[in-house]
Structure formats: structure tokens, C-alpha cells
């Protein structure tokens, strides 16, 4: 297989330094679920690097790379300390159960 394999730190984004963040969220600005998921982190005062795919020239390429990394092409796509968490339902459930706080060490 000659397909390019990506990791969260090798995604073709405009701001690779964003991976120094503990929380990286890939989303599209007009998605209501994306907005709800951002509120999970802001409501817990957890800083997150937000990458808005619909505002990037290479957004479709990044979204295709997300499929390679996470197995899902849909957004919102969240990574906690480089590990894929999932989407809105996943972050909501992780926040309720304490898994999110555990992943972040808080």
C-alpha cells in the first residue's frame, strides 16, 4: 500500500506548532455539533487548539488525513495529548464520566 500514513503530529496543517497543545479539535465552523463540543472544553476551562477545516486552503487534504489517523472522516475530530478521542458524543460522554479529566491529568 503506497497511501501516505499520517499521525496527529504530521498532519498537513497551516500551524504544526498546534500539537504542543493538550487538546486539538478539527472542526467546521457551521456545524452545530462542533460548536457544542467546543463548549465542553471551554466550560471546563481547558484550552484547546481549534483547527477550522472550512477556513483552510488544504482543509479537504487535512480531513482526508484525519480518516487515515482516526478511521473517521467526519468532524468534529478531537485529539487529547495526541490520542484520538472522537467526536461530540465522545467528548460529552468523556466529560461526564471523568475520562476526559483523566486523559488530561486534571
Amino acid at each position: 500500500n503506497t497511501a501516505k500514513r499520517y499521525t496527529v503530529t504530521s498532519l498537513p496543517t497551516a500551524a504544526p506548532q498546534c500539537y504542543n497543545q493538550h487538546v486539538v479539535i478539527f472542526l467546521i465552523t457551521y456545524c452545530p455539533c462542533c460548536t457544542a463540543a467546543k463548549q465542553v472544553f471551554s466550560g471546563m476551562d481547558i484550552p484547546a487548539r481549534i483547527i477550522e477545516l472550512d477556513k483552510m486552503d488544504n482543509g479537504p487534504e487535512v480531513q482526508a488525513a484525519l480518516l487515515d489517523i482516526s478511521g473517521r472522516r467526519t468532524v468534529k475530530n478531537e485529539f487529547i495529548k495526541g490520542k484520538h478521542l472522537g467526536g461530540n458524543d465522545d467528548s460529552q460522554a468523556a466529560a461526564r464520566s471523568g475520562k476526559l479529566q483523566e486523559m488530561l491529568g486534571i
Side-chain angles (χ1 to χ4, degrees):
N1 185 358
T2 59
K4 179 149 179 143
R5 301 295 297 180
Y6 292 99
T7 65
V8 71
T9 56
S10 69
L11 277 171
T13 67
Q17 71 275 13
C18 71
Y19 302 109
N20 293 330
Q21 299 288 322
H22 288 305
V23 178
V24 180
I25 303 172
F26 295 87
L27 54 77
I28 50 179
T29 57
Y30 52 85
C31 170
C33 288
C34 293
T35 301
K38 282 191 330 187
Q39 291 172 347
V40 168
F41 294 96
S42 64
M44 297 174 69
D45 291 326
I46 298 171
R49 172 67 169 122
I50 307 297
I51 299 175
E52 298 171 329
L53 297 175
D54 57 318
K55 293 187 176 182
M56 297 173 62
D57 290 338
N58 65 342
E61 180 184 357
V62 173
Q63 195 164 3
L66 287 169
L67 173 63
D68 192 40
I69 295 167
S70 67
R72 63 186 289 157
R73 184 174 170 84
T74 58
V75 291
K76 163 185 92 57
N77 223 322
E78 301 171 346
F79 293 85
I80 309 297
K81 294 186 174 181
K83 295 183 189 267
H84 185 250
L85 176 62
N88 181 45
D89 292 343
D90 302 304
S91 62
Q92 299 280 347
R96 281 191 305 275
S97 72
K99 177 183 176 184
L100 180 60
Q101 297 86 331
E102 181 181 318
M103 291 176 77
L104 290 165
I106 57 173

